[in-house]
Amino acid sequence: MKRLVHYARRRAASGFYRAISAVRDFDPRKNLLIFSDPRGGSTWLTEMISQVPGTAVLWEPLHLRKVGLFNDVGFCWRQHIPEDEEWKEAEKAFRRVFRGKVLNRWICPSPGRFLKADRLVVKLCRANAMIPWLTKTFKFEYDPVYLVRHPFSVAASQLKHGAWDGTSRNFEIPEGRFCELYHQHADYLSTLGTDYEVRVATWCLTNLIPLRSERNNKSWITVHYEDLLVDSGKETRRIFDRWGLPVPRRAAERLRKPSATAKELTFLEGVEAQLSKWRTTFTQAEIKRMSQVLDYFEIECYTADDVFPRVSSWRGSHGLEQRSRP
């Protein structure tokens, strides 16, 4: 009986979401997009940006176990699409998402807001390696926000969160279209033997695509999580100035609170406590091994020596400015 009730509820929910998607059709170019790693601060930033009047959140449409569309297209978990390639099926799938035509309980947590919204706030985890392709393909009116967080902090948060329990100690190279990003490093990746090294290598592979792009912070807005935590007002104004929109009255208030998915209380203890959590998560030997991963991928903007970015990586290779400390 319980199974029948569950099945009936699922069918009713599916019918409901099909119905509300049929009556709305959003312009993909006018949506507000947020790119980040899982546990990279995207929920926190999404909650702030969703204070823009007339918006509704689309929640992580690239979660392959929650949204079957991209599974059907042939995506891997952190799919890479080179900037100049064509993949019509992928473009069609994203267009459906950006128009609000792919809905379920996961992707549309607030159907009431969805029905009243003028534009969507699309939270995209695991899409960093597609940022140049997506921005070139869709030509968004509002440059997407690309939120970057220290790879050691991301790794620590993922491993503490619980959703990554059972993470493989060996890097599993995905198979599929445009997976050369992973295969070209196969020999090195096969030497990794811990879950934390695998997490850091994953960060490097997917973030080097937008960070090294000539269009970094030009076709999208690159924001360091650490900068947002230290001076949320300045970074918020930078985002909304680029968009030509007023900063929502409640945006600053929202950034002073931990996100709905934050599990640790250090957010409330201050900036240094929040940013230094990874130092208490890993041993010195583990930090050394993770640093060797950064060295292999020639990561310069983050190191083991500092919880803050070493430089503003989005400034490119010329005229780098040393970061100031709070």
Side-chain angles (χ1 to χ4, degrees):
M1 178 60 71
K2 289 183 178 180
R3 180 177 295 182
L4 289 174
V5 172
H6 178 70
Y7 177 71
R9 287 177 176 173
R10 287 189 61 184
R11 287 198 62 182
S14 296
F16 169 72
Y17 282 106
R18 282 197 302 270
I20 65 172
S21 67
V23 300
R24 299 310 315 271
D25 193 357
F26 296 91
D27 183 347
R29 297 170 300 174
K30 296 186 180 297
N31 292 337
L32 308 177
L33 273 64
I34 300 166
F35 293 95
S36 177
D37 292 291
R39 309 303 301 166
S42 60
T43 298
W44 182 49
L45 184 58
T46 298
E47 289 171 352
M48 183 274 283
I49 291 177
S50 66
Q51 301 303 313
V52 173
T55 61
V57 173
L58 288 191
W59 188 270
E60 297 186 21
L62 285 174
H63 195 300
L64 299 182
R65 288 194 294 269
K66 302 290 188 179
V67 184
L69 174 64
F70 291 100
N71 253 328
D72 297 339
V73 173
F75 273 34
C76 64
W77 273 102
R78 287 169 177 80
Q79 181 68 49
H80 174 224
I81 306 179
E83 179 177 350
D84 296 323
E85 293 289 347
E86 287 191 6
W87 191 352
K88 292 300 184 184
E89 294 83 2
E91 180 180 345
K92 181 179 179 181
F94 274 112
R95 194 170 300 279
R96 288 187 62 203
V97 169
F98 296 153
R99 291 173 58 203
K101 298 300 182 181
V102 181
L103 301 180
N104 58 25
R105 288 180 176 177
W106 169 264
I107 197 173
C108 184
S110 302
R113 286 191 64 170
F114 178 88
L115 286 170
K116 299 176 182 178
D118 301 315
R119 62 168 65 98
L120 300 172
V121 177
V122 187
K123 177 180 181 287
L124 289 160
C125 291
R126 308 176 182 89
N128 292 352
M130 290 186 284
I131 294 176
W133 178 81
L134 279 166
T135 52
K136 184 175 182 179
T137 300
F138 286 93
K139 303 185 188 313
F140 301 107
E141 182 176 332
Y142 302 96
D143 292 339
V145 179
Y146 166 44
L147 183 63
V148 193
R149 187 178 185 181
H150 198 301
F152 296 178
S153 186
V154 170
S157 186
Q158 288 178 355
L159 295 172
K160 278 185 175 182
H161 183 264
W164 283 265
D165 286 350
T167 297
S168 174
R169 293 176 178 270
N170 303 111
F171 196 103
E172 298 178 1
I173 295 178
E175 299 294 335
R177 196 167 182 179
F178 304 128
C179 285
E180 293 86 354
L181 170 67
Y182 301 96
H183 285 283
Q184 64 181 308
H185 301 287
D187 289 344
Y188 172 74
L189 294 172
S190 68
T191 68
L192 304 181
T194 64
D195 49 6
Y196 51 86
E197 288 175 289
V198 168
R199 296 290 97 218
V200 173
T202 300
W203 185 100
C204 294
L205 281 162
T206 54
N207 284 284
L208 283 181
I209 300 299
L211 285 176
R212 290 181 177 170
S213 170
E214 293 181 353
R215 296 194 290 121
N216 188 27
N217 203 46
K218 298 175 182 177
S219 297
W220 53 87
I221 308 167
T222 302
V223 176
H224 288 283
Y225 173 90
E226 296 79 14
D227 288 344
L228 192 62
L229 198 64
V230 169
D231 195 342
S232 60
K234 179 180 178 181
E235 290 300 287
T236 300
R237 288 190 299 272
R238 184 163 72 89
I239 293 170
F240 282 88
D241 284 349
R242 281 276 292 268
W243 287 345
L245 296 176
V247 177
R249 181 177 56 84
R250 297 181 60 188
E253 177 185 343
R254 180 61 264 175
L255 284 177
R256 287 193 292 268
K257 299 178 181 179
S259 75
T261 60
K263 291 195 170 187
E264 300 88 357
L265 296 178
T266 50
F267 190 100
L268 303 176
E269 296 173 5
V271 170
E272 290 287 352
Q274 174 69 5
L275 299 182
S276 300
K277 286 186 291 186
W278 59 266
R279 292 194 184 280
T280 61
T281 300
F282 302 114
T283 66
Q284 286 302 310
E286 291 170 339
I287 291 173
K288 182 178 180 180
R289 295 184 70 168
M290 292 190 295
S291 295
Q292 291 170 346
V293 178
L294 298 186
D295 291 341
Y296 171 83
F297 288 103
E298 299 180 347
I299 300 297
E300 297 180 352
C301 59
Y302 286 107
T303 71
D305 298 328
D306 203 341
V307 298
F308 292 92
R310 181 181 178 187
V311 294
S312 294
S313 59
W314 52 264
R315 294 186 186 277
S317 58
H318 301 287
L320 291 172
E321 296 180 8
Q322 190 66 30
R323 305 191 67 76
S324 61
R325 299 292 177 262

